């Protein structure tokens, strides 16, 4: 019972971050399962099965609060689903650990770009929609969906910063759209895992625990997004992208001794950026 409560809380925290910033549920939950010795494919399958329920709750909440760009949503769903299904079916044959550092480096650079772009954003420079082209949505959906299934989390960390890198894009709509579209990705990945692994390998204890916490957090996170201004939300997302991907690069480069100093510098820079953007927009 104690374990159920602990992991339900972790599911709650993961969904609260994911629903507010458009990423981190899969990465957080999968990392937790892997520390308990669960095989990567089984861990990813358990997380995606839980996400079928939590992303549905999150999507309904974001739609209710008006955080979704429906046009961009429909453009992302089909290619994202195809990519997720393919990634789930071939997870055991993919060199995920070899590719992961390169993806992390790309996302870290993109995170820095997003952070600095929103430092210069004013309250009047925001567009009403995401304006995602069909060509870009197909490429983005396939890559992000594939990465999500193979890594246990990647739809938000890839899709959110790429969409936020566009000038004038509404951060609230990006977070809501990415979070809502993730339902289709979770369903597709789960189907792929069930075909490849079967029901018997799913860890139902983890699934139920993660579901319980995520369902509670989903409407809270969607409400938080409506209250945060885009410039502040963008800096929060950018800093979070840098922080999470720095960990992978630190491990890959073997500079663990410098890890605390690097994290401290990132946190100080992130805090300074938040203070700057809040003061800058108050003056306007």
């Amino acid at each position: 019972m104690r374990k159920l409560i602990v992991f339900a809380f972790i599911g709650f925290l993961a969904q609260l971050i994911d629903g507010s910033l458009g990423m981190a549920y899969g990465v957080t939950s999968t990392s937790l399962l892997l520390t308990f010795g669960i095989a990567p494919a089984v861990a990813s399958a358990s997380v995606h099965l839980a996400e079928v329920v939590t992303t549905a709750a999150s999507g309904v909440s974001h739609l209710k609060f008006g955080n979704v760009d429906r046009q961009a949503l429909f453009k992302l769903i089909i290619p994202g689903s195809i990519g997720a299904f393919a990634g789930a079916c071939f997870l055991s044959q993919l060199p995920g650990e070899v590719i992961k550092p390169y993806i992390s480096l790309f996302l870290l650079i993109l995170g820095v770009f997003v952070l600095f772009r929103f430092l210069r954003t004013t309250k009047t420079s925001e567009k009403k929609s995401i304006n995602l082209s069909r060509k870009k949505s197909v490429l983005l959906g396939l890559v992000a969906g594939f990465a999500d299934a193979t890594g246990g989390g990647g739809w938000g960390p890839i899709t959110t910063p790429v969409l936020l890198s566009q000038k004038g894009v509404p951060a609230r709509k990006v977070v809501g759209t990415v979070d809502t579209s993730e339902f289709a990705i979770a369903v597709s990945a789960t189907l792929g895992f069930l075909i490849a692994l079967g029901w018997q390998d799913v860890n139902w204890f983890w699934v139920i625990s993660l579901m319980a916490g995520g369902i509670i957090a989903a409407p809270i996170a969607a409400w938080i997004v409506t209250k945060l201004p885009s410039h502040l939300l963008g800096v929060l997302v950018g800093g979070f992208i840098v922080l999470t991907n720095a960990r992978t690069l630190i491990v890959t480069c073997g500079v663990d001794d410098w890890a605390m100093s690097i994290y401290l510098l990132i946190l100080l820079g992130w805090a300074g950026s938040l203070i700057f953007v809040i003061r800058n927009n108050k003056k306007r």
Side-chain angles (χ1 to χ4, degrees):
M1 183 64 183
R2 183 180 296 178
K3 282 186 177 180
L4 182 66
I5 295 173
V6 169
F7 291 111
F9 175 74
I10 292 170
F12 174 88
L13 187 63
Q15 182 57 46
L16 191 65
I17 297 171
D18 187 275
S20 301
L21 301 183
M23 66 188 78
Y25 184 89
V27 173
T28 304
S29 303
T30 303
S31 298
L32 171 68
L33 298 185
L34 291 176
T35 61
F36 281 83
I38 297 176
V42 177
S44 190
S46 300
V47 169
H48 281 89
L49 190 55
E51 280 189 311
V52 171
V53 174
T54 59
T55 54
S58 183
V60 170
S61 300
H62 278 297
L63 283 166
K64 182 179 179 181
F65 285 107
N67 299 333
V68 179
D69 184 326
R70 294 172 186 267
Q71 188 175 13
L73 173 69
F74 293 123
K75 286 181 179 179
L76 285 169
I77 283 176
I78 295 177
S81 298
I82 294 171
F85 183 82
C89 290
F90 294 101
L91 173 60
S92 60
Q93 302 173 16
L94 292 171
E97 292 304 314
V98 176
I99 300 171
K100 191 175 180 181
Y102 297 100
I103 296 176
S104 292
L105 178 61
F106 168 73
L107 292 175
L108 188 145
I109 295 170
L110 203 55
V112 172
F113 175 77
V114 169
L115 195 152
F116 277 98
R117 190 180 72 74
F118 276 92
L119 283 177
R120 302 193 308 270
T121 299
T122 64
K123 295 179 181 179
T124 58
S125 63
E126 188 179 286
K127 298 176 182 177
K128 292 183 178 180
S129 62
I130 297 175
N131 292 328
L132 182 64
S133 68
R134 188 167 298 278
K135 183 179 180 180
K136 186 174 183 179
S137 67
V138 170
L139 179 61
L140 178 59
L142 288 171
V143 172
F146 193 82
D148 188 86
T150 56
W155 180 254
I158 293 176
T159 310
T160 300
V162 169
L163 293 180
L164 282 177
S165 66
Q166 300 177 83
K167 187 176 180 180
V169 71
R172 178 173 66 91
K173 289 290 182 74
V174 168
V175 171
T177 302
V178 170
D179 234 40
T180 303
S181 63
E182 196 168 7
F183 170 72
I185 280 64
V187 170
S188 299
T190 300
L191 289 174
F193 281 121
L194 292 179
I195 291 172
L197 298 174
W199 289 93
Q200 67 275 7
D201 287 324
V202 174
N203 192 313
W204 289 104
F205 177 83
W206 303 114
V207 172
I208 294 171
S209 300
L210 295 170
M211 280 182 181
I215 289 171
I216 297 171
I220 300 173
W223 175 79
I224 290 173
V225 171
T226 65
K227 299 301 178 182
L228 290 176
S230 280
H231 56 272
L232 182 58
L233 189 59
V235 172
L236 283 170
V237 172
F240 192 80
I241 295 165
V242 173
L243 186 64
T244 53
N245 287 286
R247 179 179 175 277
T248 300
L249 294 174
I250 288 171
V251 173
T252 303
C253 297
V255 290
D256 293 23
D257 294 340
W258 292 87
M260 290 305 297
S261 299
I262 295 171
Y263 289 143
L264 183 60
L265 285 173
I266 293 173
L267 289 172
L268 287 173
W270 193 9
S273 299
L274 288 170
I275 293 170
F276 174 82
V277 77
I278 290 170
R279 288 182 176 177
N280 189 48
N281 281 272
K282 272 186 177 180
K283 293 177 182 179
R284 295 175 187 275

